[in-house]
Amino acid sequence: MNQRSNIRTGFILFCTLFVAACSGQRVMMPTPNESVDKSPGIYDNLHEDLKTTEVPLFYVTDRVPERDDKGNLQYGYGRSPSLAFGSTVIDMGADMSWEELLDESRKNKRSKEVPMHRVSINEIVRAPNAPIPYTEVDGIIVEDPEFVARRQAAAQEFREAVVEWLDKTPRKEVFVFVHGFHNSFDDAAFTMAELWHFLGRYGVPIVYTWPAGHPGLFGYTYDRESSEFTVFHLRQLIELMAGFPEVEKINVIGHSRGTDVVVTALRELTIEVRAVGKDPKKALKLHNIVLAAPDLDAQVAGQRIIGDFLSWSADRFTIYASPEDSAIGWSRKLFDSPAGRVGNIEVDKMTPEIREQMEVGNSPLAVINFFPSSDNKITGKDGFGHSYFRNAPTVSSDLIIMLRDDADPGSPERPLEYIGAKFWQFPPGYPNPD
């Protein structure tokens, strides 16, 4: 058996183990270090409708709608040409009261687990299939008026729901989470619910969930192409929300394979906006772009993020990378990435070309290196070291402080250690080093 066959066999084994590791009852992520023993004051001014263990979320999806044995709506891994908008409710804590949930949310070691389950899904509106019919007249693309009207009606219904939510929060911004490989609808919703809870439940939480989760040994290849399929729809969503005058800022958090979806969609929008002489930061209202454990070839990412000026298209562009992320390590072997994958990147192991790209310019790019083995306070680490953005209280603390408090790396609120070429690392016990 040759080296390529060994790699593919190993990767198939990895996929099988990864799927098995994702099964079982989901419980709330470990308490971020920054939240331990802290006064729950961030929830004091929260709208009364949001002071509950039931977490309401919006979702946008191009998964095919299905029905379970009882006729209830659900979403599988099938690809839909139309984009749906809806709401879902995630319960955190089952029989807990709001006060009990807050108490457990402040503990380093909880007195009991906080189980999570989905209460409901409600599809509010569905846009027409895309792309819509069009014709070319004298060099101008003319879309079918009937389909345009249906698309505009769906967009208006979406806008009205978002505006109604914005009236309940002082933060006139949205937080969009884009999941990765083998995530179900519920997986993505659970992650958004717990992150938004620790953020203080400010702003509008939106789960963007694409057709991932194909079963079997080759689910990764299906999911990978689904991630390419969904770029068109994510691009439409970001452009649509940027056009809502009530929305002041847009924050996008991508994980794993979802980072490629985020980078590709935003790159295409950035090129389009710059081509007409506009500033993407203003036109697209991009505040934070976050890539957690990115499954991206380092050289491809360099072209897209640096070469196409994507890192200048937001107020803050943050990458979380861990050299000990074995899932990304297998991805590197499978695709023979000559300069490595972004999710494993280290400042001392970059090629000279990539390092030069990183060091030039004044972009708001920051790469945060996470070393699980160097911090004895890390808990809740998954078996592959791939979900550390929510499992490691050090990393989740940094993500929350950045998004909630609008803090830059190296500031008093985010005392990260600078190690050169826009790279930072966590001191032990972050954000309160020993």
Side-chain angles (χ1 to χ4, degrees), residues 176-180 208 210 227-228 230-232 234-235 238 250-270 284 286 288-292 294 296 304-305 310 317-318:
V176 181
F177 175 66
V178 184
H179 61 77
Y208 183 85
W210 50 278
S227 72
E228 296 172 355
T230 201
V231 166
F232 179 81
L234 179 60
R235 195 178 71 217
I238 299 298
I250 297 174
N251 304 277
V252 185
I253 304 107
H255 175 237
S256 186
R257 189 65 204 160
T259 61
D260 193 19
V261 178
V262 170
V263 167
T264 306
L266 293 180
R267 167 183 172 268
E268 292 176 4
L269 285 172
T270 292
L284 300 175
L286 295 173
N288 283 290
I289 299 174
V290 180
L291 309 181
L296 289 167
R304 295 180 179 181
I305 297 172
L310 181 56
F317 196 111
T318 306

Side-chain angles (χ1 to χ4, degrees), residues 57-103:
L57 307 170
F58 284 141
Y59 70 84
V60 177
T61 187
D62 51 3
R63 294 176 184 263
V64 171
E66 302 173 353
R67 296 286 172 178
D68 64 17
D69 294 339
K70 297 181 179 180
N72 298 315
L73 175 65
Q74 62 182 14
Y75 294 98
Y77 56 84
R79 301 171 189 166
S80 170
S82 61
L83 204 56
F85 163 70
S87 62
T88 184
V89 175
I90 303 301
D91 185 77
M92 301 173 68
D95 298 326
M96 286 184 180
S97 67
W98 169 244
E99 290 73 21
E100 289 173 324
L101 175 60
L102 291 188
D103 185 50

Side-chain angles (χ1 to χ4, degrees), residues 31 36-37 103-104 106-112 379:
T31 301
V36 173
D37 297 330
D103 185 50
E104 295 299 332
R106 299 170 55 237
K107 292 180 179 178
N108 187 29
K109 294 184 179 179
R110 295 184 182 134
S111 56
K112 54 184 175 180
T379 60

Side-chain angles (χ1 to χ4, degrees), residues 377-394:
K377 292 188 177 181
I378 295 300
T379 60
K381 185 176 67 172
D382 65 278
F384 297 97
H386 191 54
S387 296
Y388 53 86
F389 77 107
R390 62 169 294 273
N391 287 342
T394 295

